[in-house]
Amino acid sequence: MPSELRKQRDQERTEKRRLSLLESASRVFARQGYHRTLISDIVNDAGVGQGTFYRHFKDKRQIFEALFELLLQKVAAQFQDMESRPPQSAEEFRSASRDAYRRMAQVLDQNRDLASLLLREGRTIDAEFQRTVEGVFLEFAQLAQSFLDLGVARGFARPMRTDIVAQAIVGLVIALADSWWAGRFPGVDIDTLVDESVALAFDGMIAIPNTAQPS
Amino acid sequence: MPSELRKQRDQERTEKRRLSLLESASRVFARQGYHRTLISDIVNDAGVGQGTFYRHFKDKRQIFEALFELLLQKVAAQFQDMESRPPQSAEEFRSASRDAYRRMAQVLDQNRDLASLLLREGRTIDAEFQRTVEGVFLEFAQLAQSFLDLGVARGFARPMRTDIVAQAIVGLVIALADSWWAGRFPGVDIDTLVDESVALAFDGMIAIPNTAQPS
Amino acid sequence: MPSELRKQRDQERTEKRRLSLLESASRVFARQGYHRTLISDIVNDAGVGQGTFYRHFKDKRQIFEALFELLLQKVAAQFQDMESRPPQSAEEFRSASRDAYRRMAQVLDQNRDLASLLLREGRTIDAEFQRTVEGVFLEFAQLAQSFLDLGVARGFARPMRTDIVAQAIVGLVIALADSWWAGRFPGVDIDTLVDESVALAFDGMIAIPNTAQPS
Amino acid sequence: MPSELRKQRDQERTEKRRLSLLESASRVFARQGYHRTLISDIVNDAGVGQGTFYRHFKDKRQIFEALFELLLQKVAAQFQDMESRPPQSAEEFRSASRDAYRRMAQVLDQNRDLASLLLREGRTIDAEFQRTVEGVFLEFAQLAQSFLDLGVARGFARPMRTDIVAQAIVGLVIALADSWWAGRFPGVDIDTLVDESVALAFDGMIAIPNTAQPS
DNA sequence: AATGAATGAGTATTCATTCAT
DNA sequence: GATGAATGAATACTCATTCAT
């Protein structure tokens, strides 16, 4: 009895089906938004029967949740191999920041539909999901804050309310991602976006008098 | 002719009803979110009959739209009397920015429920409303951009991609408002928030070498 | 504003609607059984919209429950004015029993559909309803038992396990009602049924030797 | 020729599967009732695949039918070896009755789950099954009736509507079985139940004057 | 023969909208 | 104009049944 083989093959097929549903859901959510999407839209897009959906997910919320976790995994993977040595100089501080920023930009852009969807609708599902999403935002903010604290402690950054600035930075990233996806920066590449953001965050907007008046 | 008087009184009562429905809608939307709110929730909160809703609004979308316009009006009013004389110095540039920022912070905070709701859910209603909301965001960004352009032109601000920075600034404002409302800044007052934001936007995070090297 | 009048008229109409739904439910349940009956069958029979059902009842179980209570009320009403003076002689004991029996037979027969339905399906709805129904059966059995106990105490009845006999009597009543409704007693009237039951319960089946051997 | 042996073994295994499914069905039906039982409940209990069910039974109704027939067979077996010599005296009449009663009590109690299930739900499956069940009840009633007729003819029993009394007796048996299973007779053994039933059926409840008046 | 993933017909239920009073 | 009971279209979800492996 090749039941072992059978079992494995079945499992693989099941997993494939699940992924195909996730892809369809992502596509349809991106097109119509979470709330205007029916289960039937998803299964039609996936080309499977109505009942098949319920074999893999409890309801619309759960497939959305699964998409959310998928994105989190990808984000985590992107930062997996990131150097963790604390910066030794102002220059290293800045380059580490730029690196983190660039990685975030990349993972967001590589998962554009998913990320855009989750950023836009994640907090409109229900109270619990709202908390989940805000928890993730907060985690990022806290990561940023501890990095800022380090910079302040070592004198690479000026004294500041790092809690406030960290949240501002996260908001800035999200806002720019959103604008970028909305096509409001025609002709701008990601590197420019990153460079401008980092420049703003580090140097601010103010004209630098030193450089301008060398004499 | 009492019919004239009667007519006016009726009209007033009608207007009062409309406002009461708008208030209820705002309250209920804020509590449950747009998508989880039923017409019956709104009329129950307002203490009027189900049919009465339809005498004043076509559907849920329309009352949401009306709330959106109400907020826009209040924002506009806040900026009505703002001085429009272009800044003549770097110092004026900075203070004008802070003033604009503070006004925005005030109007958002005075309409906390409404603003929070619209920022969170405005783009999840439908495609058309999404465009409307993004149009408003864009307007703010453009306003900010033209102000930045002016700063750059006069040498108050360093050269930069003002289109990008403007959107970043708008995102930053929204993110901080959101965090503030979510209670993530316990013990922080609005002025501190504004000051930190302006400091970040103008000076960046970097330690100021001038101060460090006085000689 | 005749809102008072309006309210009353509305309430009356609502009550009428509710009764019409109960009647339809009773009719359809009787025809198809509880489990094979759809909400749509009931509303079609009542000639009202699908949503109207849910304005009056939570679900199919609840309308069944309401029918059950309706029957209980009618049974209670039938026994409302029953004489409660304890029997003073064997003859009174027997006639009081016959009277109770007859009343039960009447109320069951007057609510044939309802009673038949509830006796047949009442215990197949769910565990909780089963307990409810059995509770009612038990109440009747206990009533019968206390009556029997009295008869035994006064010497009108022979010593016996009145708990067992009481339940047997209740079962006997139900079985005969069921057979009667199923048309298994063609040409028999209710009085005959009652008389035979009482004779069986009181005298048993055995030939009476005294009477048979007068000489 | 090993194919012969193989065939037989296969057949045995098939039969074992069938029985295991029947047992599971009986168990699950008894626990949840027919209508609340899903095919999946049965196959899960039996530890076989969903498809296997359909290799042995057409649908839920058919497995219920099979259980019903199983019970009938057991009942028939119980009465197989029963003496068929007509009673020659009042005493034999009574003892034959008690014997039949006791056998019925035994077979019902030995198949408690099955019997309880079929008595409770048998008539709620569909119209056809209802007729089948009522046919079986009727058969029992007719058997009882012909026995009663014989008793009346020979003077062992008083003249009575034997059709009515027979059905009453059957109802009484069922009611007591039901009460017994429901635990409403704590501490009572089956023999007591049988004895009380026979006493009620033969002698009724009335106090026996003979004993009271010895002279 | 056994399996269990896939299927979709069948239903309960919700809720925006209407309209008689 | 206000009301709220009535409505039924729209949808989520279940579960018996099939069938490829």
Side-chain angles (χ1 to χ4, degrees):
Chain A
M1 237 192 297
S3 94
E4 203 47 43
L5 188 66
R6 164 83 190 277
K7 223 172 238 175
Q8 196 187 331
R9 221 180 269 167
D10 275 8
Q11 210 166 342
E12 274 167 25
R13 203 173 316 165
T14 294
E15 187 54 25
K16 208 174 273 177
R17 207 56 92 125
R18 192 186 131 92
L19 281 176
S20 135
L21 276 166
L22 280 167
E23 274 168 33
S24 288
S26 167
R27 193 166 26 243
V28 179
F29 282 149
R31 193 192 319 135
Q32 316 178 349
Y34 176 82
H35 296 283
R36 301 182 70 81
T37 293
L38 311 180
I39 303 293
S40 61
D41 294 332
I42 297 174
V43 298
N44 287 342
D45 185 282
V48 301
Q50 186 89 353
T52 305
F53 178 90
Y54 291 94
R55 175 160 288 282
H56 295 278
F57 303 98
K58 201 175 115 274
D59 51 21
K60 193 167 63 159
R61 188 191 192 282
Q62 204 189 52
I63 202 172
F64 189 82
E65 218 169 74
L67 287 174
F68 183 68
E69 271 153 28
L70 222 56
L71 183 64
L72 286 189
Q73 277 171 25
K74 290 186 179 174
V75 172
Q78 180 69 284
F79 286 83
Q80 203 85 63
D81 61 333
M82 194 169 167
E83 191 175 350
S84 63
R85 192 173 60 91
Q88 301 301 323
S89 68
E91 201 39 52
E92 276 183 40
F93 185 63
R94 182 188 280 254
S95 75
S97 300
R98 167 177 293 136
D99 191 29
Y101 200 115
R102 198 189 310 270
R103 280 163 190 263
M104 182 57 82
Q106 273 166 11
V107 71
L108 288 182
D109 201 50
Q110 278 157 19
N111 299 280
R112 189 194 153 126
D113 278 4
L114 214 47
S116 163
L117 168 70
L118 293 164
L119 289 174
R120 198 181 323 117
E121 314 232 36
R123 291 179 309 168
T124 69
I125 311 299
D126 58 36
E128 198 198 325
F129 209 94
Q130 187 174 349
R131 275 193 296 279
T132 306
V133 173
E134 289 180 348
V136 173
F137 283 174
L138 199 58
E139 249 178 272
F140 278 105
Q142 280 167 347
L143 216 68
Q145 186 181 351
S146 61
F147 192 72
L148 290 181
D149 283 335
L150 185 122
V152 172
R154 305 227 170 162
F156 308 147
R158 63 172 170 80
M160 62 181 112
R161 291 285 311 236
T162 54
D163 56 343
I164 295 176
V165 173
Q167 304 223 25
I169 298 283
V170 169
L172 179 157
V173 169
I174 290 170
L176 289 181
D178 217 62
S179 294
W180 164 260
W181 291 325
R184 287 205 284 276
F185 298 134
V188 176
D189 60 31
I190 284 196
D191 283 339
T192 307
L193 218 55
V194 171
D195 289 345
E196 285 291 330
S197 304
V198 172
L200 174 63
F202 274 77
D203 306 320
M205 310 180 305
I206 215 65
I208 303 148
N210 298 359
T211 324
Q213 304 161 6
S215 67
Chain B
M1 233 199 301
S3 90
E4 201 48 40
L5 189 67
R6 166 85 184 279
K7 213 176 249 175
Q8 195 187 333
R9 218 181 271 167
D10 278 6
Q11 209 166 345
E12 272 168 25
R13 206 175 306 166
T14 297
E15 186 54 25
K16 208 175 269 178
R17 277 284 157 105
R18 194 186 128 92
L19 278 176
S20 140
L21 277 168
L22 280 166
E23 271 169 35
S24 288
S26 167
R27 190 165 29 241
V28 180
F29 282 149
R31 194 191 321 132
Q32 317 177 349
Y34 176 81
H35 296 283
R36 302 180 70 82
T37 293
L38 312 179
I39 302 292
S40 62
D41 294 330
I42 298 172
V43 297
N44 287 341
D45 186 281
V48 301
Q50 187 91 351
T52 305
F53 178 90
Y54 290 92
R55 194 153 289 286
H56 295 280
F57 303 97
K58 200 175 117 264
D59 51 22
K60 192 167 63 160
R61 189 191 193 281
Q62 204 188 54
I63 203 173
F64 189 82
E65 223 168 62
L67 287 174
F68 184 69
E69 272 152 28
L70 224 55
L71 182 64
L72 286 190
Q73 278 171 27
K74 290 187 178 175
V75 173
Q78 181 69 286
F79 286 84
Q80 204 84 62
D81 61 332
M82 194 171 168
E83 191 176 352
S84 62
R85 191 173 61 90
Q88 301 302 322
S89 68
E91 203 37 55
E92 275 183 40
F93 184 63
R94 183 187 280 252
S95 75
S97 299
R98 167 177 293 135
D99 191 29
Y101 200 115
R102 200 189 310 268
R103 281 164 189 261
M104 181 57 80
Q106 275 166 7
V107 72
L108 288 181
D109 201 50
Q110 279 157 17
N111 299 280
R112 188 193 155 127
D113 279 4
L114 213 48
S116 165
L117 169 70
L118 293 164
L119 288 174
R120 199 182 320 117
E121 314 232 38
R123 291 179 309 167
T124 70
I125 312 299
D126 58 35
E128 197 196 324
F129 210 93
Q130 187 175 350
R131 274 191 297 278
T132 306
V133 174
E134 289 179 348
V136 173
F137 284 175
L138 200 57
E139 249 177 89
F140 277 103
Q142 279 166 349
L143 215 68
Q145 185 181 354
S146 60
F147 192 71
L148 289 181
D149 284 335
L150 186 121
V152 172
R154 305 226 169 161
F156 307 149
R158 65 169 168 80
M160 62 180 114
R161 290 284 311 236
T162 53
D163 55 344
I164 295 176
V165 172
Q167 304 225 23
I169 298 284
V170 170
L172 180 156
V173 169
I174 290 170
L176 289 182
D178 216 62
S179 294
W180 165 261
W181 290 326
R184 286 205 284 274
F185 299 132
V188 176
D189 59 30
I190 285 196
D191 284 338
T192 306
L193 217 55
V194 171
D195 289 345
E196 284 291 330
S197 304
V198 173
L200 174 64
F202 274 78
D203 306 319
M205 312 180 302
I206 214 65
I208 302 149
N210 297 0
T211 323
Q213 303 159 7
S215 68
Chain C
M1 237 195 295
S3 95
E4 203 46 43
L5 188 67
R6 164 83 191 277
K7 224 173 237 175
Q8 196 186 332
R9 221 180 268 169
D10 275 9
Q11 210 166 342
E12 273 167 25
R13 202 174 315 165
T14 295
E15 187 54 25
K16 207 174 272 178
R17 205 58 91 125
R18 193 186 129 93
L19 280 176
S20 136
L21 276 167
L22 280 167
E23 273 169 33
S24 288
S26 168
R27 192 166 27 241
V28 180
F29 282 148
R31 193 193 318 136
Q32 317 178 348
Y34 176 81
H35 297 283
R36 301 181 69 81
T37 293
L38 311 180
I39 303 292
S40 61
D41 293 331
I42 297 173
V43 297
N44 286 341
D45 186 281
V48 302
Q50 187 87 355
T52 305
F53 178 89
Y54 291 94
R55 176 159 287 282
H56 295 278
F57 303 98
K58 201 175 116 275
D59 51 20
K60 194 168 61 158
R61 188 191 193 281
Q62 204 189 52
I63 203 172
F64 190 81
E65 220 169 72
L67 286 174
F68 184 69
E69 271 153 30
L70 223 55
L71 182 64
L72 286 190
Q73 277 172 25
K74 290 186 179 176
V75 172
Q78 179 69 285
F79 287 83
Q80 203 84 64
D81 61 332
M82 195 171 169
E83 191 176 351
S84 62
R85 191 174 60 90
Q88 301 302 324
S89 67
E91 201 39 52
E92 276 185 37
F93 185 61
R94 184 188 280 255
S95 75
S97 300
R98 168 175 293 134
D99 192 28
Y101 201 115
R102 199 189 309 272
R103 280 164 189 263
M104 181 56 83
Q106 274 165 10
V107 71
L108 288 182
D109 202 49
Q110 279 157 17
N111 299 280
R112 190 196 152 125
D113 278 3
L114 214 47
S116 163
L117 169 70
L118 293 165
L119 289 174
R120 198 181 323 116
E121 315 233 36
R123 291 181 308 169
T124 69
I125 310 300
D126 58 35
E128 198 197 325
F129 210 92
Q130 187 175 349
R131 274 192 296 279
T132 306
V133 174
E134 290 180 348
V136 173
F137 284 174
L138 199 57
E139 249 178 90
F140 278 105
Q142 280 167 347
L143 216 67
Q145 184 181 352
S146 60
F147 192 71
L148 290 181
D149 283 336
L150 185 121
V152 172
R154 307 227 168 160
F156 308 148
R158 63 171 170 79
M160 62 180 114
R161 291 284 310 235
T162 53
D163 55 345
I164 295 175
V165 173
Q167 304 225 24
I169 298 283
V170 170
L172 180 157
V173 169
I174 289 170
L176 290 182
D178 217 62
S179 294
W180 165 260
W181 292 325
R184 286 205 284 277
F185 299 134
V188 177
D189 60 31
I190 284 195
D191 282 339
T192 307
L193 218 55
V194 170
D195 289 345
E196 285 290 332
S197 304
V198 172
L200 174 64
F202 274 77
D203 306 320
M205 311 180 304
I206 214 65
I208 303 148
N210 299 358
T211 324
Q213 304 158 8
S215 66
Chain D
M1 232 198 302
S3 91
E4 201 49 39
L5 189 67
R6 167 84 185 279
K7 214 176 250 176
Q8 196 186 332
R9 218 182 272 166
D10 277 6
Q11 211 166 343
E12 273 168 24
R13 206 175 306 166
T14 296
E15 186 54 23
K16 207 174 271 177
R17 276 284 157 105
R18 195 186 127 91
L19 279 176
S20 138
L21 277 167
L22 280 166
E23 272 169 35
S24 288
S26 167
R27 189 165 29 240
V28 180
F29 282 148
R31 195 192 319 135
Q32 317 177 349
Y34 176 82
H35 296 283
R36 300 180 71 81
T37 293
L38 311 180
I39 302 292
S40 62
D41 293 331
I42 298 173
V43 297
N44 286 341
D45 187 281
V48 301
Q50 187 91 350
T52 306
F53 178 90
Y54 290 91
R55 195 153 287 286
H56 296 279
F57 303 98
K58 200 174 118 267
D59 51 21
K60 192 167 64 160
R61 189 191 192 281
Q62 205 188 54
I63 203 172
F64 189 82
E65 221 168 64
L67 287 174
F68 183 69
E69 272 153 27
L70 224 55
L71 182 64
L72 286 190
Q73 278 171 27
K74 291 187 178 175
V75 173
Q78 181 69 286
F79 288 84
Q80 203 84 63
D81 63 332
M82 194 172 169
E83 192 176 351
S84 63
R85 192 174 60 90
Q88 301 302 323
S89 67
E91 203 37 56
E92 275 183 39
F93 184 63
R94 182 189 280 254
S95 74
S97 299
R98 167 176 294 138
D99 191 29
Y101 200 116
R102 199 190 309 271
R103 281 165 189 261
M104 181 56 83
Q106 274 166 8
V107 72
L108 288 182
D109 201 49
Q110 278 157 17
N111 299 279
R112 189 193 153 127
D113 279 2
L114 213 48
S116 164
L117 169 70
L118 293 164
L119 288 174
R120 199 182 319 118
E121 313 232 37
R123 291 179 308 168
T124 70
I125 311 299
D126 59 34
E128 197 197 326
F129 209 94
Q130 188 175 349
R131 274 192 297 279
T132 306
V133 174
E134 290 180 347
V136 173
F137 284 173
L138 199 57
E139 250 178 88
F140 278 103
Q142 280 166 348
L143 216 68
Q145 185 181 353
S146 60
F147 192 71
L148 289 182
D149 282 336
L150 186 121
V152 173
R154 307 224 169 163
F156 308 148
R158 65 170 169 80
M160 61 180 113
R161 289 285 309 237
T162 54
D163 55 344
I164 295 176
V165 173
Q167 304 224 24
I169 298 284
V170 169
L172 179 157
V173 169
I174 290 171
L176 289 181
D178 216 61
S179 294
W180 164 261
W181 291 325
R184 286 205 284 274
F185 298 134
V188 177
D189 59 30
I190 285 196
D191 284 338
T192 307
L193 217 56
V194 170
D195 289 346
E196 284 291 330
S197 304
V198 173
L200 174 64
F202 275 78
D203 306 320
M205 310 179 306
I206 216 64
I208 302 147
N210 297 2
T211 323
Q213 302 157 10
S215 68

